[in-house]
Amino acid sequence: MPELEVKLDQRSYKIQIGRSLAPAVRAFADSLAARRSRCVLAVDEALLAAQPEFVAEAFADMPRIILPSGEPTKCFAQFERVCDFMADSGVARDGTLFACGGGVTGDLAGFAAASYLRGINFVQIPTTLLSMVDSSVGGKTGINIKAGKNLVGAFWQPLAVFADTGLLETLPEREFPAGMAEVIKYGMLADEELFTQLEALPRLSSASDELPEVVARCCQIKADVVGSDERETAANNGRALLNLGHTFAHAVENVAGYGAYLHGEAVGLGLYMAARLSCIMGLIPPSDVERVKTLLERYSLPVALREPLPLAELERVAGHDKKVRAGKLRYVIMDSIGNARTQDGINPDTVRQLWKDAGAA
Ligand SMILES: NC(=O)c1ccc[n+]([C@@H]2O[C@H](COP(=O)([O-])OP(=O)(O)OC[C@H]3O[C@@H](n4cnc5c(N)ncnc54)[C@H](O)[C@@H]3O)[C@@H](O)[C@H]2O)c1
């Protein structure tokens, strides 16, 4: 079973990846309870309905709060519910909140754990591919406010992460390919070998034997990047590299209306645009852009807008992306597949042409 460590001095923790991890979660909870840590659970409603045996085996009769599925749950009302639930359950400073669900559950519960009594233990059991390879690693937690997504939150590292890939069997159909966009991203930004491996493998599914290793590789890349720039303060590269394709993706999600594209679907298009940008800048050959396109299409990810979206709006939103530093919009580009860096001062006309080529009107 792959196991790796996120190295952050005293906040270091282990990620276990594999199938049938319910007994391992149970043993970890039992070890905390034996140290008199009051353990409680925040669980996603749809996950609970789809995987009742896992929840029963992993968490037994641990007090639980059931969170509605979907992005609107990352809000102050649900945050308050989780905090009240912990108080009503007698969770003290040495208590532990387990979060079982996708990125929505992890982000909300993580922020509640970071805030309640100024911070209690937190354990993540991510249940979507995206949350296994991305949101459960790195310690970003938070909720949404009217002004935008993830604008209120905290850096709060978990005590441990358990990623049971067997849980992915019940994921809604579009969610697995959407998670694969982030997997492909890791290959493009830091690991040509992973990219080549993905090219050589037939389309992965939740049942693929290779999946735990692939998830572990992605977690390791994110852990390494986060370990070198925990709070995204590096002037160049660092954590910002994880945003390969994301300036484009955020604009598409925003302008199309949240929910029209799953985040990973928008990332797929963003990765293709980032590859094209790198090619136009003379950094990678057209054949590498084709490789990226072929891999994205294998996972039914879009490489063009599904419906035309207004060019001016896309440019405006991309121009306000939170990755703007000192007034300059930074893009992440590739010098080669597996080797990305941040770059300021990209010619706006080049970006405009990319949007037009993607179908913006
Ligand atoms: N903290 C970070 O670093 C970070 C990074 C990336 C994304 N995010 C956040 O993550 C969120 C998206 O996460 P997500 O893609 O996991 O979405 P999600 O949590 O909404 O889960 C997607 C859907 O799958 C369902 N589900 C989850 N696991 C299931 C399972 N095993 N079987 C059946 N159904 C299941 C959920 O109920 C939901 O309907 C966004 O809010 C995003 O902002 C955070």
Side-chain angles (χ1 to χ4, degrees):
M1 182 197 308
E3 181 179 291
L4 55 103
E5 188 170 19
V6 182
K7 292 199 176 70
L8 295 163
D9 299 325
Q10 288 168 353
R11 294 182 310 288
S12 298
Y13 60 93
K14 291 209 165 71
I15 305 177
Q16 278 193 43
I17 301 151
R19 296 177 74 87
S20 307
L21 292 185
V25 176
R26 178 73 164 269
F28 192 73
D30 286 347
S31 72
L32 288 165
R35 284 188 266 143
R36 305 216 166 278
S37 173
R38 177 86 167 132
C39 295
V40 297
L41 169 68
V43 59
D44 176 272
E45 191 170 13
L47 180 276
L48 179 60
Q51 299 281 355
E53 298 86 6
F54 175 88
V55 176
E57 197 183 348
F59 304 107
D61 53 4
M62 194 184 280
R64 65 188 58 171
I65 182 168
I66 299 170
L67 300 174
S69 304
E71 191 66 30
T73 289
K74 281 174 52 175
C75 66
F76 275 115
Q78 294 293 337
F79 170 78
E80 188 177 10
R81 251 190 93 217
V82 177
C83 293
D84 286 343
F85 156 73
M86 290 194 279
D88 293 345
S89 307
V91 175
R93 181 69 190 80
D94 56 358
T96 306
L97 176 61
F98 284 71
C100 182
V104 165
T105 307
D107 278 13
L108 171 69
F111 183 44
S115 312
Y116 178 73
L117 302 180
R118 299 191 183 81
I120 63 162
N121 296 330
F122 170 50
V123 178
Q124 291 246 52
I125 297 89
T127 65
T128 62
L129 182 56
L130 180 133
S131 59
M132 289 181 189
V133 299
D134 193 355
S135 62
S136 69
V137 188
K140 280 190 181 175
T141 70
I143 58 174
N144 308 325
I145 57 173
K146 277 195 216 98
K149 277 189 65 172
N150 301 322
L151 292 185
V152 172
F155 285 97
W156 195 247
Q157 302 295 345
L159 213 53
V161 178
F162 297 87
D164 184 335
T165 55
L167 294 175
L168 302 177
E169 271 158 29
T170 55
L171 264 190
E173 201 181 330
R174 280 164 67 194
E175 298 286 346
F176 187 88
M180 281 305 297
E182 301 288 353
V183 172
I184 294 167
K185 177 193 79 174
Y186 287 115
M188 288 168 66
L189 78 91
D191 191 345
E192 194 194 359
E193 206 178 305
L194 171 64
F195 191 89
T196 314
Q197 185 192 5
L198 293 173
E199 285 180 304
L201 287 169
R203 181 175 162 133
L204 291 171
S205 73
S206 57
S208 303
D209 290 340
E210 297 85 357
L211 192 61
E213 284 298 341
V214 167
V215 170
R217 187 68 206 121
C218 296
C219 291
Q220 186 66 61
I221 294 168
K222 182 153 183 189
D224 290 346
V225 171
V226 169
S228 68
D229 183 24
E230 186 183 358
R231 290 183 174 239
E232 202 165 338
T233 48
N236 296 303
N237 301 328
R239 240 185 132 134
L241 293 179
L242 299 169
N243 288 307
L244 180 65
H246 279 58
T247 300
F248 298 113
H250 290 149
V252 170
E253 281 182 280
N254 182 306
V255 177
Y258 285 103
Y261 287 77
L262 293 180
H263 175 66
E265 293 169 346
V267 168
L269 172 54
L271 292 174
Y272 179 60
M273 292 177 72
R276 287 206 58 219
L277 177 60
S278 309
C279 181
I280 291 166
M281 292 171 71
L283 302 170
I284 65 170
S287 56
D288 278 356
V289 179
E290 276 309 300
R291 289 173 69 193
V292 169
K293 183 166 181 263
T294 303
L295 197 48
L296 293 169
E297 287 179 340
R298 182 172 307 163
Y299 289 95
S300 316
L301 292 163
V303 292
L305 293 168
R306 292 182 185 134
E307 310 279 338
L309 292 174
L311 175 63
E313 276 296 285
L314 290 163
E315 286 184 317
R316 186 185 62 78
V317 177
H320 286 101
D321 195 80
K322 64 182 173 180
K323 309 306 165 199
V324 173
R325 278 279 166 99
K328 285 189 196 158
L329 187 58
R330 286 194 306 174
Y331 282 89
V332 185
I333 50 167
M334 291 182 292
D335 286 321
S336 60
I337 288 180
N339 191 4
R341 67 179 158 86
T342 51
Q343 174 76 49
D344 298 329
I346 303 280
N347 184 345
D349 292 339
T350 307
V351 177
R352 180 164 303 149
Q353 191 54 48
L354 284 174
W355 281 123
K356 284 185 183 164
D357 294 347

